[in-house]
Amino acid sequence: MKSLGIVSPQSMHFSVPLSLQSGASLCDYTLVYETYGTLNADRSNAVLVCHALNASHHVAGEYAADKGGKKSVGWWDNMVGPGKPLDTDKFFVIGVNNPGSCFGSTGPMHVNPASGKPYGANFPVVTVEDWVHAQARLADALGIRQFAAVMGGSLGGMQAMAWSIMYPTRIRHCVVIASTPKLSAQNIAFNDVARQAILADPDFHGGDFYAHGVVPKNGLRVARMVGHITYLSDDDMAEKFGRELRNGKYQFDFGIDFEIESYLRYQGDKFSEYFDANTYLLFTKALDYFDPAREFGGDLTKALAGTQAQFLLASFTTDWRFSPERSREIVQALVNNKRKVTYAEIDAPNGHDAFLLEDPRYLNVVRSYYSRVWQEIENGEFNHKACA
Amino acid sequence: MNFNELSRLRADLAFIAHWVRPESHVLDLGCGDGVMLDYLQSDKRCIGYGIEIDDDKIPVCVGRGVQVIQQDLEAGLAIFADAAFDTVLCLSALQMMKNVEGILRDIARVGREAIVSFPNFAYWPHRVALMRGRMPVSKSLPYEWYDTPNVRCATIKDFEELANQVGLEVLECVALKDGKPVTFLPNWRGSLAVFRLKKK
């Protein structure tokens, strides 16, 4: 299938401080983003794609090969592109990197204008809602008053949901994949194990490791290994690795015996080379804090009462990180509010990771959904004044 | 979708559609490719949801603009509140359910009215097949006994009894043959039983 080909990121600087949920504020920050496709004349075909924990604004297409000849392909390239479920021949798609990330937007490794040193541990804790406010400012700057859709998987799905609550008139469709209305105690527990691994690494230096010229690699490795386990299903792991031994026999030491150990360590090593430890802490906190029903006494129906968007939700049966039950809670709350909602529960073996993989059942539902969104645009079945 | 298109596609649904009041809130259990809801939405300004389990049907519903929720009906209707719908449709789906009584009780809980249809096992060609000592295979029961998804076989008389037990009052009962009502000897000559029910 066709791809977008070579894409390149852009950036936009904001000098008006962004007030954060914590009471702190982020002054003078930059957002890095990518766009694909063309914004139509009445600005009604924009779709925002929100990224999850490990991803960035680089949603689709690829970057020109680096020195090593490696081309970096966008994390949702099977979803977004010409002729793909979210078709960039029709829609103007935006991927934006969230503040606190380590992929270009202002984050803990950047210089804090107040101190002249990297933010490090002083980078303010940012929430899903803070990100949505930042994204809304980018939309303002790009002249987009109302999105045809805001879409995301996992933590990205939380952002899409938050958009529907916080800016109900600015989003016509909300696409939430493999997400949850809030983390469970088990989810938070896994996140905290990951954080503890980072915090306990002597190279972390209380978050100011930049000044010491080191990276808390061991902590990041363990954090990623723990995270990765939760992305896969038990069946998937059994199928891929089982009890396969690396060298055919037990080594009777604490090196690598099993293939699964080798795989996880490889994933951890790779991750620790490009991901920032402070970003990992910040992003897992953003996950933990997300709970739109909290200010409504835990009542998700009330939290979603002000939404106006139409919703598409999808979950995967073997996803035990954000299980189908969590998505059904969202569906139930939307049904209680008589919102338009479609829900697909895909019987896929790949656990949470399934949302990034190629499953025709899943991709066909999304494709079909965006065809409807496109039909609405072509037939003008919405309030155009809201877009301009 | 307009009435003529529906009649051409599914004559039985076209007959049943008359019983659904305009602008009502509808739940369609086992909505398949969403054709009924598509018609009710576009021609009768109804709103509502379909429930369907089949992966292949979900994108078709989405393409029609039908709000479909993918779920196994055997899991019940817990996501819906009491009396949430004006009408609950359960059309040619009941005979595939293990827990028929459970779903009927749930239908009575979430809907004010219900329309239920299923193949009439007492349709005369079925009776003839049984008299010849074979399980019936017909247009309305097109499967062999060993591969049929239809695990419940009921007649018009059977169903009335159960409906009463689960708190549903029979308002109307019609037997259809090729989408047209049969008035003379309906339990013999009708291949599809259709009940209009009200919560007692």
Side-chain angles (χ1 to χ4, degrees), chain A residues 293-317:
Chain A
R294 191 166 176 261
E295 58 181 297
F296 297 90
D299 188 337
L300 189 62
T301 298
K302 281 189 190 146
L304 292 169
T307 60
Q308 295 180 23
Q310 301 183 32
F311 288 77
L312 170 65
L313 285 101
S315 74
F316 302 91
T317 48

Side-chain angles (χ1 to χ4, degrees), chain A residues 18-25 124-131 133 166 286 289-291 294-295:
Chain A
L18 183 71
S19 302
L20 305 173
Q21 211 180 330
S22 64
S25 71
V125 171
V126 278
T127 63
V128 166
E129 287 80 2
D130 295 332
W131 287 336
H133 283 306
M166 295 162 63
Y289 283 164
F290 183 68
D291 181 7
R294 191 166 176 261
E295 58 181 297

Side-chain angles (χ1 to χ4, degrees), chain A residues 23-44:
Chain A
S25 71
L26 196 58
C27 51
D28 215 38
Y29 59 99
T30 297
L31 295 180
V32 177
Y33 64 99
E34 282 177 18
T35 70
Y36 325 108
T38 313
L39 187 61
N40 62 6
D42 63 1
R43 295 161 189 256
S44 61

Side-chain angles (χ1 to χ4, degrees), chain A residues 30-302:
Chain A
T30 297
L31 295 180
V32 177
Y33 64 99
E34 282 177 18
T35 70
Y36 325 108
T38 313
L39 187 61
N40 62 6
D42 63 1
R43 295 161 189 256
S44 61
N45 69 334
V47 174
L48 177 67
V49 176
C50 305
H51 71 77
L53 181 59
N54 312 320
S56 71
H57 50 282
H58 185 32
V59 176
E62 58 190 40
Y63 292 156
D66 63 13
K67 282 176 202 149
K70 232 180 103 186
K71 291 174 178 178
S72 165
V73 179
W75 58 271
W76 224 351
D77 194 64
N78 57 12
M79 180 68 83
V80 180
K84 303 217 171 142
L86 175 46
D87 189 347
T88 50
D89 288 337
K90 296 181 170 121
F91 293 98
F92 177 65
V93 179
I94 303 170
V96 55
N97 190 212
N98 290 321
S101 172
C102 52
F103 294 113
S105 290
T106 301
M109 66 301 301
H110 293 128
V111 172
N112 178 355
S115 68
K117 288 190 222 152
Y119 279 102
N122 291 323
F123 195 89
V125 171
V126 278
T127 63
V128 166
E129 287 80 2
D130 295 332
W131 287 336
V132 168
H133 283 306
Q135 291 161 5
R137 283 191 179 180
L138 179 70
D140 291 342
L142 296 174
I144 295 155
R145 183 70 212 129
Q146 186 187 63
F147 283 106
V150 177
M151 174 185 199
S154 192
L155 175 58
M158 292 176 177
Q159 292 158 57
M161 223 183 306
W163 262 95
S164 76
I165 297 168
M166 295 162 63
Y167 294 104
T169 60
R170 295 192 68 173
I171 141 177
R172 294 200 298 280
H173 293 269
C174 182
V175 181
V176 179
I177 315 282
S179 196
T180 174
K182 59 171 186 257
L183 260 58
S184 66
Q186 189 192 47
N187 293 146
I188 296 170
F190 276 115
N191 279 348
D192 200 45
V193 171
R195 284 192 294 265
Q196 289 304 321
I198 291 168
L199 293 167
D201 188 325
D203 284 340
F204 184 62
H205 293 287
D208 295 323
F209 50 89
Y210 316 103
H212 294 79
V214 290
V215 170
K217 274 195 167 187
N218 283 317
L220 264 173
R221 274 174 86 231
V222 175
R224 175 59 173 179
M225 286 167 79
V226 169
H228 208 93
I229 296 168
T230 69
Y231 303 150
L232 304 178
S233 72
D234 193 17
D235 288 351
D236 206 21
M237 262 199 204
E239 167 116 351
K240 278 192 186 125
F241 308 104
R243 290 180 54 87
E244 283 297 306
L245 290 166
R246 193 77 193 288
N247 295 312
K249 56 180 200 265
Y250 289 176
Q251 303 294 312
F252 297 101
D253 62 17
F254 303 109
I256 291 175
D257 270 316
F258 295 93
E259 284 292 354
I260 181 63
E261 294 174 317
S262 162
Y263 173 78
L264 280 181
R265 288 182 202 196
Y266 172 75
Q267 292 294 333
D269 284 340
K270 211 171 62 169
F271 189 72
S272 69
E273 273 159 29
Y274 68 83
F275 211 83
D276 181 88
N278 284 310
T279 294
Y280 206 86
L281 298 180
L282 288 166
F283 275 52
T284 53
K285 267 290 163 195
L287 276 162
D288 291 359
Y289 283 164
F290 183 68
D291 181 7
R294 191 166 176 261
E295 58 181 297
F296 297 90
D299 188 337
L300 189 62
T301 298
K302 281 189 190 146

Side-chain angles (χ1 to χ4, degrees), chain B residues 13 17 34 54 68 88 112 115-116 144 151 169 173 175 186 196:
Chain B
L13 297 184
D54 186 345
V68 63
V88 179
R112 292 186 190 90
I115 302 171
V116 174
E144 294 292 344
V151 293
E169 176 193 339
C173 164
R196 202 172 134 229

Side-chain angles (χ1 to χ4, degrees), chain B:
Chain B
M1 173 166 305
N2 62 37
F3 188 75
N4 289 337
E5 286 170 297
L6 182 68
S7 306
R8 206 173 51 243
L9 282 172
R10 289 283 302 273
D12 58 325
L13 297 184
F15 175 85
I16 292 164
H18 286 300
W19 282 349
V20 181
R21 269 187 288 276
E23 294 177 25
S24 48
H25 195 214
V26 179
L27 179 65
D28 187 353
L29 305 177
C31 67
D33 59 7
V35 65
M36 185 66 156
L37 276 172
D38 185 2
Y39 167 73
L40 293 175
Q41 285 176 180
S42 48
D43 213 43
K44 294 193 125 175
R45 302 174 310 283
C46 294
I47 55 161
Y49 308 97
I51 304 277
E52 179 55 49
I53 190 170
D54 186 345
D55 287 321
D56 296 335
K57 302 277 175 29
I58 306 299
V60 186
C61 287
V62 172
R64 290 180 186 276
V66 164
Q67 314 301 313
V68 63
I69 293 167
Q70 188 169 22
Q71 194 212 293
D72 185 353
L73 282 180
E74 300 285 0
L77 304 177
I79 65 165
F80 301 108
D82 296 356
F85 297 94
D86 299 313
T87 303
V88 179
L89 305 174
C90 183
L91 306 177
S92 301
L94 204 65
Q95 76 278 5
M96 299 184 213
M97 302 255 334
K98 249 191 252 168
N99 187 4
V100 172
E101 197 180 331
I103 196 71
L104 284 175
R105 283 188 196 281
D106 246 356
I107 288 172
R109 180 182 65 79
V110 304
R112 292 186 190 90
E113 276 194 26
I115 302 171
V116 174
S117 74
F118 55 88
N120 180 23
F121 205 71
Y123 178 44
W124 71 265
H126 301 161
R127 299 190 191 208
V128 170
L130 280 172
M131 279 194 295
R132 287 185 177 150
R134 299 297 298 265
M135 281 299 280
V137 177
S138 70
K139 213 163 91 185
S140 65
L141 291 174
Y143 302 93
E144 294 292 344
W145 64 272
Y146 50 84
D147 69 356
T148 179
N150 302 326
V151 293
R152 303 293 180 202
C153 307
T155 70
I156 291 176
K157 280 189 182 162
D158 292 329
F159 182 77
E160 261 186 65
E161 214 178 284
L162 180 63
N164 269 303
Q165 263 180 49
V166 299
L168 290 164
E169 176 193 339
V170 176
L171 294 177
E172 279 181 77
C173 164
V174 173
L176 298 182
K177 170 83 177 72
D178 298 328
K180 290 189 188 71
V182 175
T183 43
F184 177 64
L185 294 176
N187 200 26
W188 280 86
R189 297 177 58 240
S191 60
L192 188 76
V194 190
F195 284 81
R196 202 172 134 229
L197 307 147
K198 194 175 154 236
K199 193 181 193 152
K200 275 202 248 184

